[in-house]
Amino acid sequence: MRIGPQRPVNPDAIVAPQGYRVEALITGLTFPTAISFGPGGELYLAESGGYPLSGAAAVTALPRVLRVDPDSAIREIGRVDNPISGLVYRNGELFIGEEGPSPRILRVTAEGEVQIPVDGLPGGGDYGLSGLALSADGGLVFGLGSRTNSGVVGLDNVARGWVAQRPELADVPGADIELAGVNYVTGHPASGGAGRATTGAFKPFGRRSEPDETVRSAPRSSGTLYRMALDTGKLERLAWGFRNPVGVACGPDGRLFTTEGGMEERGSRPIAGAPDSLWEVQSGGYYGWPDHSAGLPITDPRFRLPGHPQPRRLLKNGPKVVGVPRATFAPRSGVGRLDFSTSEAFGFAGQAFVALSGAWSAPAYPGESGPQGFRVVRVDPRSGETTNFLANRNGAPASAGNNGGLERPFDVRFDPSGEVLYVVDLGEIHLNHEAGLEYFGGTGIVWRITRSRPMLLVTTAADETERDAADETVEDDEAEESAAEEDEPEAFTAEDAPFGETAEQPTDEDGSLADGDGTPDTADTAEEPLASREDTLDDHELPTGADTVAQAPDDAEETGALPGLGDETLATEPEAVSPTAAASEDIVPEIDEPATPVVETVEEAAPEESAAAAVEPAAEPEPQAADSTSTAMVPGDTPETATADADRDAEAEVEPLAEAAEPPARATGRGRRSEAPREPVPEPAAEVQPPTVEEPKLENWE
């Protein structure tokens, strides 16, 4: 099924474990972010229409919700004004997470009535709402990210536009905190960089903090996980201290987990090498942001960006951190959403499947690790062991080699049976060192992954008799050959390896597969043909980035050990207080840069100097017009025109892709980009299960 413009689609470019099949179910989507399932086999799909991880992002296409019926018909059932972060179906109703300056939760009834049970969340900064999930007790769980990268509003936030639009914004803690009085001095954009702005933690841009200053919490805080009671709409804070909780999901036993995006090397307080994490959530817990990364203090030398001073704590005697994550992922992996396998038929029951969408920012210094993510991994939450499940053969996004595989997998979701895994692929969003992120609409895909079932053999009594006679002959042969086999290398068989993995194969001295003669021959050295679609991940060497990670021991908090970050033993006691700790500390740049200024610690400026440094924030920039080439419908369309558009889409779906003309230029947030023609790949026909439960379907809403 194809919705909009086409990009190359080739499931054969994706490596999966043996016995699993990958299909492109729906293509041509504009930044899809979430799916959910109705009881009758229908699938609900959200197109965010813009960058899904930021509450301040511009919308390049109209966000909407689609319904895919069991007969493969696709219908738009409603639109919203801001990007859609999450989607959950429950008992004939849809719950939708809507981004924007003030994120909110929408409730759409079966009759199409739209209610707003949660509004006014502290968004509008760098990060917004997470995905949505139902908790074990039937509540709706979601997260809200922080407004800044590492606790201080800086020039990186100015560059993203929201400081000029809402200069009063800062992070809101989930509990009352005391500040250490550390401030950062940068150039001020309102004066062309000539003026100075001094900014403290949890303060708006240009406002300083003082030692021992208390910042009060609020009922609705940033960097927080929430639970909403579905019967009353009451909102409670589950845990806080997250930078960006991207996904939430409950395991088969009801325990709640969340993925968290690590801090980046940008802003007034850059943090280097911070991993992404998978946390088990404890009610009332504090998870360390902004003074800890993956459970370790930011004063750890591994978090120091080359050419910059060691990051300092922003909080004085901050809350106790809840241990370490269940697993960590390489820095800048772009951790996305997660779900748990519950089916032995699909395999890996009890393990978490996590989408890694890839880096969202460019490397900050020469020698930093290359591309990470762009794959789906599975994690054993008991041990923290992480293993690739889906990845492109080249380890990079599909657009890097025009190979038609995974681009930016963002959400993963099992269907109600647990036997089918759906992967929501955002599509092409490129990193441009000059223009920032470039969005290409109509390139999103929903992939479907199923496991092949073993063939059932029917035997007769004659077959059994013949097989018994053959078994007796084999036993005699084995007795005669047992002595000779002891002197020969052990033969490798697939049964020797655990499911989904490959055992170590014996080799001759030349490194080729063992044949017993110790010398290379034609069979050993011949080039292996290209593997089929059902090759295992272990049969192909993949780039690192989601390698096996061992879970930290129980005493990791004292020793500083962390899964995936090395085993150095580091003290975690609070850092020593200097003789001048009674006064606040200003961090001043030697060279003013928009992202990661080189800084040094200096003495506090006099009160009159600090007051003179205050400059009015920059004027609000002119908003950019949405791309006129967007494939989504524009405001003002009537239900009649929407129906006509849906009919045209349905007609386009039945056209063979092999006869398609040259793909059109893809829509971006800044115009169009021309491309050379690409050879289209036929899309597999959708296998649809018939409805099993009769329930009213959601009607369109305005």
Side-chain angles (χ1 to χ4, degrees):
M1 293 175 279
R2 179 160 59 89
I3 303 295
Q6 180 185 350
R7 74 170 172 91
V9 179
N10 181 18
D12 288 341
I14 305 171
V15 185
Q18 184 176 9
Y20 289 84
R21 181 186 181 191
V22 180
E23 305 169 86
L25 179 66
I26 308 173
T27 64
L29 297 166
T30 300
F31 312 127
T33 51
I35 57 175
S36 191
F37 303 93
E42 63 272 20
L43 182 152
Y44 294 93
L45 172 65
E47 284 186 294
S48 73
Y51 180 39
L53 302 181
S54 173
V59 174
T60 62
L62 197 63
R64 60 180 181 171
V65 176
L66 306 174
R67 187 178 70 218
V68 183
D69 289 328
D71 61 359
S72 300
I74 300 178
R75 174 185 177 188
E76 177 185 304
I77 63 171
R79 315 169 189 171
V80 297
D81 296 327
N82 297 289
I84 300 173
S85 66
L87 185 72
V88 164
Y89 175 95
R90 180 183 180 273
N91 294 343
E93 298 181 326
L94 272 181
F95 293 87
I96 299 171
E98 184 185 11
E99 292 286 5
S102 181
R104 58 186 184 174
I105 303 296
L106 307 179
R107 183 178 200 157
V108 183
T109 67
E111 295 76 26
E113 178 187 359
V114 179
Q115 304 170 356
I116 307 176
V118 177
D119 198 3
L121 293 169
D126 284 4
Y127 303 103
L129 289 171
S130 72
L132 311 181
L134 296 174
S135 61
D137 59 2
L140 183 71
V141 178
F142 61 92
L144 181 69
S146 62
R147 283 170 167 162
T148 65
N149 172 51
S150 59
V152 180
V153 182
L155 295 181
D156 56 326
N157 310 118
V158 171
R160 294 190 174 204
W162 60 263
V163 173
Q165 296 172 9
R166 301 181 64 185
E168 77 283 1
L169 294 186
D171 286 298
V172 181
D176 293 352
I177 57 174
E178 286 188 33
L179 300 180
V182 177
N183 296 291
Y184 294 82
V185 180
T186 65
H188 204 302
S191 61
R196 296 288 181 180
T198 302
T199 308
F202 292 88
K203 296 286 186 177
F205 184 71
R207 225 179 265 184
R208 64 182 301 113
S209 66
E210 301 298 336
D212 302 325
E213 178 182 355
T214 299
V215 177
R216 300 295 180 186
S217 179
R220 299 184 180 185
S221 53
S222 52
T224 299
L225 285 182
Y226 294 93
R227 179 191 177 277
M228 186 190 82
L230 297 181
D231 53 350
T232 64
K234 181 181 178 180
L235 192 66
E236 62 175 312
R237 181 164 41 222
L238 285 178
W240 74 287
F242 299 100
R243 173 180 175 270
N244 183 24
V246 185
V248 287
C250 283
D253 58 0
R255 291 181 297 163
L256 181 65
F257 291 80
T258 186
T259 53
E260 180 191 24
M263 290 178 275
E264 299 175 342
E265 307 95 336
R266 61 178 172 90
S268 298
R269 189 174 179 248
I271 309 298
D276 294 344
S277 303
L278 172 65
W279 291 96
E280 181 181 349
V281 179
Q282 298 181 16
S283 181
Y286 168 69
Y287 286 80
W289 185 90
D291 282 349
H292 293 76
S293 173
L296 291 182
I298 150 109
T299 51
D300 188 315
R302 74 184 76 193
F303 299 126
R304 177 178 175 272
L305 181 65
H308 292 247
Q310 181 69 43
R312 299 186 61 81
R313 295 177 185 262
L314 301 179
L315 308 186
K316 179 181 179 181
N317 302 323
K320 180 178 175 58
V321 178
V322 179
V324 295
R326 286 293 180 178
T328 60
F329 312 100
R332 301 171 63 245
S333 290
V335 69
R337 310 281 167 77
L338 75 158
D339 201 6
F340 284 83
S341 173
T342 59
S343 169
E344 295 292 347
F346 184 88
F348 309 112
Q351 295 195 16
F353 285 70
V354 183
L356 303 179
S357 61
W360 294 95
S361 60
Y365 56 91
E368 187 180 8
S369 59
Q372 306 290 342
F374 310 109
R375 65 192 64 204
V376 176
V377 299
R378 56 181 177 86
V379 181
D380 185 339
R382 297 166 299 181
S383 65
E385 182 179 3
T386 300
T387 308
N388 287 316
F389 183 73
L390 297 176
N392 292 336
R393 295 181 185 276
N394 62 358
S399 58
N402 199 28
N403 60 29
L406 296 171
E407 186 65 29
R408 285 189 179 271
F410 183 67
D411 192 14
V412 291
R413 193 70 54 192
F414 284 93
D415 75 343
S417 73
E419 297 184 11
V420 183
L421 176 65
Y422 292 83
V423 176
V424 178
D425 190 333
L426 287 171
E428 295 188 33
I429 304 177
H430 297 174
L431 290 175
N432 186 306
H433 292 274
E434 297 179 357
L437 294 172
E438 291 185 298
Y439 308 88
F440 298 93
T443 59
I445 294 178
V446 173
W447 304 91
R448 179 170 60 183
I449 296 89
T450 53
R451 182 181 178 188
S452 303
R453 296 180 180 275
M455 182 179 297
L456 297 178
L457 299 179
V458 180
T459 60
T460 64
D463 294 332
E464 295 290 345
T465 302
E466 182 178 352
R467 187 172 61 184
D468 291 341
D471 290 342
E472 293 177 0
T473 303
V474 170
E475 291 175 0
D476 294 338
D477 294 340
E478 290 177 348
E480 297 175 359
E481 298 173 359
S482 59
E485 288 179 351
E486 293 178 357
D487 298 329
E488 296 179 0
E490 181 180 357
F492 172 79
T493 62
E495 288 76 8
D496 296 332
F499 180 78
E501 301 179 5
T502 302
E504 182 179 358
Q505 304 186 30
T507 60
D508 287 328
E509 295 179 356
D510 67 326
S512 60
L513 290 182
D515 56 5
D517 63 4
T519 60
D521 53 26
T522 304
D524 290 338
T525 58
E527 181 178 358
E528 182 181 354
L530 182 64
S532 64
R533 180 65 202 86
E534 294 186 348
D535 287 344
T536 66
L537 277 170
D538 305 279
D539 291 334
H540 301 274
E541 182 178 358
L542 291 176
T544 59
D547 294 334
T548 299
V549 178
Q551 172 65 18
D554 294 337
D555 60 351
E557 187 173 356
E558 287 91 17
T559 64
L562 181 66
L565 290 181
D567 54 3
E568 298 93 339
T569 300
L570 299 168
T572 57
E573 287 78 9
E575 57 188 300
V577 180
S578 67
T580 58
S584 62
E585 297 184 54
D586 295 348
I587 311 297
V588 184
E590 296 176 350
I591 302 175
D592 290 326
E593 297 180 354
T596 54
V598 179
V599 296
E600 63 180 359
T601 303
V602 299
E603 297 180 358
E604 179 186 9
E608 55 271 6
E609 293 176 352
S610 298
V615 183
E616 290 298 323
E620 182 174 346
E622 291 292 331
Q624 296 184 355
D627 186 359
S628 61
T629 63
S630 169
T631 60
M633 296 192 295
V634 298
D637 282 350
T638 65
E640 290 76 17
T641 60
T643 303
D645 289 343
D647 292 340
R648 286 194 298 272
D649 288 341
E651 293 174 2
E653 292 165 15
V654 301
E655 297 177 1
L657 293 183
E659 299 175 7
E662 175 182 346
R666 293 170 292 181
T668 75
R670 286 172 295 280
R672 299 173 64 88
R673 183 183 78 171
S674 298
E675 292 188 343
R678 290 172 170 174
E679 184 66 20
V681 179
E683 299 173 10
E687 298 177 5
V688 181
Q689 298 295 330
T692 57
V693 179
E694 292 294 334
E695 184 171 315
K697 294 181 179 179
L698 283 164
E699 299 297 333
N700 287 22
W701 73 83
E702 296 297 330

